[in-house]
Every structure is written in C-alpha cells, then in structure tokens.
Amino acid sequence: MGWGLRLLSPRTGCRWVGLVIEPTAGCDCGCRGLRLAVFDCGCVCRCSTSGFVDLRGRDDDHSVLKYIVAVAEIGSITEAAKQLHVSQPSLSAALKAAEKEVGFEIFTRSRSGVALTKEGVEFLGYARQVIQEMDLLEDRFMLSKPAKQRFCVSTQHYTFTANAFVEMVQTFGQERFEFILNETQTHRILEDVKNRFCDVGIIYLCDRNRTFLHKTMDEMGLVFHELFSADPHVFLRAKHPLAGKASVTLKDLQPYPRLNFLQGSYESADFSEEPFSTELSEKEIRVSDRAAIVNLMIGLDGYTISSGIFPKYLQGRQIVSVPLAQKEKMHIGYVLCKGQSLSELGAIYVDVLGKYAPKHS
C-alpha cells in the first residue's frame, strides 16, 4: 500500500489545515479507516466512515501517540510512566481513552507487562510516521528551523554497512539531523522495518535460510531486494595459524572457537547471521556486538564466517579474511514493507552500499 501526504480541511475545530497520511486505495471512504490527520494544534485524528475522531482527547501536542510508542518499546506501563514523567494512572487512562476512540485494543495487558495486539502493531507503524511528520511540521513552520533530517538503518553486524553509514552522514548530514545505525538481531530488523522504526533493513539470504526468511517476510508484509552476492570468508586475526592459507575448510576451523552473533529468543539457524551455523562446533562463543568479536578473534584465536567485506583501515591490519572453501553464496540486500519505496536518504545509502560489492558481483 502506497502512502502520500495531502492537505485536509480541519474537522476537529483546529485553527488550520494539517497533514494527512493515507493509502492510495481503500474502502468507500478511500481510506479503510486507517487515514491519519495531523493539525497545527497537535490533534491527531483517524478517519472512519463516520468522520474523523480525535485520538488525543485534550492533551497538548501529540503526546498520546508518543505515550503509545514509549509503552510499546518499554513493554511496561509503570516503567514508561517513570520515563515519561507522568503518573501511572494518568498514562493508563490516556491509553484506554485512545483505544476507545480508535475502536480496538492497542495493547494486551498482563502481570508481566503489555504487548501489542495485531491491530496495535499496524497502528504503531503509522503512529511513528505521524510523530515524525508532526515534529518536522513543528520545526519547519512553527519554530522556523530548517527541517531536521531523520534516517534509521537496522542491520546485521557488518562492517561495510557501518562504513557506508559514515560516508552518507559525512556527505549528506545537514545542520540538524537524527541518524540511527542499529546493529541488531535478524528478527528485530524485520520488526523494525514492519513497524516503520527504520527506513531500511539490511540482512543476507543463502540457500539454507532463503525459503524460511522469504516466508517470514511475506507474512510480515515485507520484501527483500538483493544488492549483491559474496562468497563466504573466514575472519581471523592477522597472526592466526590459518591466516596465511589461500583458503580454509570447515575441518581446518574445528580446533578454534567459532564466534556467532546472538539472536535472542529467535536463536536458530534460520535467523543466524553466519553461514554454516548448523555445522557442529566443540567451541562456540556467542556475542552481541562487533567489538567483542574482534577482541575474541585477537585474544582467543576465534573466527567468524561472513562476507569478507572488511575495510582494512577500520581495524588496521589486525584482522584478515580468508576464503572459505565451501560452496555457498551470501545474498546481501535490503528489506522494505511491500509497496514502500526507498526514502531519499535510503536511496543514497543503498547506492553507497553498492560500492562495497565484491568485484565478481
């Protein structure tokens, strides 16, 4: 479903026209009840066949949408109230009022916390968009500031994605911006794209995980766009006993610790960031960030399997990559929602990523 912006006559008593985010196709009223309007006073409304209903009650600005986003991210109304500096009863009442207005439950509540309902997940994605548009509207027209750029990438743990991000910020970062590089777990990347937290998600596919991840993405309303393919390489410290070989086999690697990235509650070969993760290893260490992996490579003669794309200046000559003598291809690409186009900065970022493609691609 494609989305755009257009002007709308106010229906809530606001002083002037705001912005509407709406699908290009829908039901009789043209919106399927998903259209959102933002007005200069901060009112946020959702279209229904009976007209626009206020999602915010009488609160100032667009705080209720921010409340909903905060509670979804934290998973607890009590903890969210502390961080938002509001009372827990007030926050609970605001959430219930919002749910009553939209006509469905956004959260399920339990003793362990809160979780988004199916409708709440969809609503959250649109809420993020509205908050961003309202912030831009406020900065540009009310505070007379240059528009603040926002761009977010959620990615698996690749050095080249971070390097491309740096290049983009250096070249296109204006006076005011909020750029986010989120190196995280594979399922979290898909969730970030689905919920519109990030502009683009970066993952890889191979013969082993392709069917599963395509099915998962299809169920989540996501699409994978391939950028390039790469042969698997083994990352090692420069003085590792295997570093001087023209190529290595999985058997060569057996005596050394294998280093993999954690996938949290989605720990499985299908969500793994490393090819051949199903191969048995007597020594295995799981970590959450690239810095830890580099330290373990250097300190423990550990190894990890990845694309082999590793700009040397980021780690000097401490780390090298050696081709893995196994038949496999890593297909690296970006993920978007179905029908979603790359944002302007997203297109620039993807173009910079393409420069890191191996020559054979």
Side-chain angles (χ1 to χ4, degrees), residues 230-243:
D231 295 320
H233 283 61
V234 179
F235 285 123
L236 306 162
R237 72 181 180 95
K239 295 184 180 181
H240 192 284
L242 300 178

Side-chain angles (χ1 to χ4, degrees), residues 106-117:
I106 299 172
F107 297 102
T108 58
R109 287 123 171 121
S110 67
R111 290 184 178 181
S112 60
V114 298
L116 289 165
T117 62

Side-chain angles (χ1 to χ4, degrees), residues 289-344:
D289 64 88
R290 282 189 295 114
I293 276 211
V294 170
N295 289 336
L296 293 170
M297 285 182 201
I298 295 171
L300 298 177
D301 271 345
Y303 72 90
T304 192
I305 302 174
S306 191
S307 66
I309 306 170
F310 193 88
K312 286 186 170 56
Y313 67 82
L314 290 179
Q315 289 294 335
R317 297 185 179 276
Q318 297 182 83
I319 305 299
V320 298
S321 64
V322 179
L324 182 64
Q326 300 289 144
K327 187 178 180 181
E328 183 63 280
K329 284 286 186 184
M330 296 181 67
H331 301 273
I332 296 167
Y334 61 94
V335 180
L336 298 174
C337 292
K338 289 181 180 178
Q340 178 187 3
S341 300
L342 284 167
S343 64
E344 182 179 357

Side-chain angles (χ1 to χ4, degrees), residues 182-206:
N182 182 31
E183 291 188 345
T184 188
Q185 300 162 0
T186 303
H187 192 272
R188 179 73 262 170
I189 294 168
L190 302 182
E191 289 284 351
D192 285 351
V193 176
K194 177 183 176 181
N195 294 334
R196 310 268 177 163
F197 172 75
C198 66
D199 294 74
V200 62
I202 308 297
I203 65 171
Y204 97 98
L205 302 182
C206 66

